[in-house]
Amino acid sequence: MQKNIIVAVADNNAIGRNNELLWHISEDMRFFRRQTLGWPVIMGRKTFESIGRALPGRVNIVISRSFNTGEDVAVVGSLEEAFKVAESTNLEKCFVMGGGQIYSQALSEADRLVVTHVHTVIDDADTFFPPIDSQIWTEVQRSELHTDEETGYTFEFVEYTRR
């Protein structure tokens, strides 16, 4: 199974603050949906709570030692267990979608990174994505530069694969 990480990251690697996204970019949300729809998604408890519900059209796997969603969500105790649940779907790929601790754990296991690079610096962020090491990752695709009308942020979609 191909293990993917999907993330939107600022130029200073910021990804969150107070368990919330740093921006709402409609085009990025649509991109996320297109990329993940139909595939298992793996997230930490805080990410699940920040969304507030299971994402439709996807097997939702939440990593937590003591959490009950009351929804149709697989709750597991570790990233390793989450990958096992994803593999049991017999689908060819899954997506790790946060948060910061889960990304840090998953980076060494991932085959592919799907990154929205948002060209801004968020000084008061409290959650960061690890730096993308060019010795490990190679860029294989980059979109044109987009500008979000609401925020004014420029951003691009970049795909990396493990060397």
Side-chain angles (χ1 to χ4, degrees):
M1 168 175 274
Q2 183 187 60
K3 297 171 183 168
N4 300 279
I5 289 177
I6 189 163
V7 63
V9 60
D11 290 336
N12 64 334
N13 290 345
I15 59 171
R17 178 181 51 238
N18 298 326
N19 202 33
E20 294 182 3
L21 295 175
L22 299 171
W23 44 71
H24 179 84
I25 298 174
S26 297
E27 183 148 353
D28 182 49
M29 296 296 187
R30 287 190 296 272
F31 176 78
F32 174 87
R33 186 175 194 281
R34 283 193 311 271
Q35 291 291 310
T36 63
L37 194 62
W39 305 108
V41 289
I42 297 170
M43 68 196 93
R45 173 189 55 82
K46 289 180 183 176
T47 297
F48 179 81
E49 289 177 341
S50 73
I51 297 167
R53 63 181 172 85
L55 295 175
R58 289 153 274 213
V59 173
N60 287 246
I61 305 165
V62 176
I63 301 170
S64 174
R65 287 182 197 76
S66 58
F67 180 64
N68 183 353
T69 66
E71 294 191 49
D72 188 20
V73 171
V75 179
V76 298
S78 69
L79 182 62
E80 183 180 344
E81 288 178 64
F83 284 138
K84 286 180 183 172
V85 171
E87 287 170 2
S88 75
T89 65
N90 293 320
L91 296 170
E92 60 198 50
K93 61 184 169 181
C94 67
F95 286 88
V96 174
M97 53 173 280
Q101 291 179 345
I102 303 301
Y103 284 139
S104 292
Q105 293 172 30
L107 199 56
S108 65
E109 301 286 322
D111 303 302
R112 179 172 161 255
L113 307 177
V114 180
V115 181
T116 303
H117 286 285
V118 181
H119 298 297
T120 187
V121 171
I122 307 293
D123 291 322
D124 61 347
D126 58 21
T127 308
F128 297 85
F129 191 78
I132 298 171
D133 184 343
S134 62
Q135 300 297 311
I136 298 171
W137 299 99
T138 185
E139 182 181 315
V140 294
Q141 188 173 345
R142 180 178 292 262
S143 74
E144 70 277 5
L145 199 60
H146 302 269
T147 302
D148 181 58
E149 291 181 15
E150 193 175 309
T151 64
Y153 294 153
T154 59
F155 61 96
E156 53 202 327
F157 305 114
V158 183
E159 180 182 332
Y160 301 86
T161 57
R162 185 175 291 281
R163 289 188 181 274

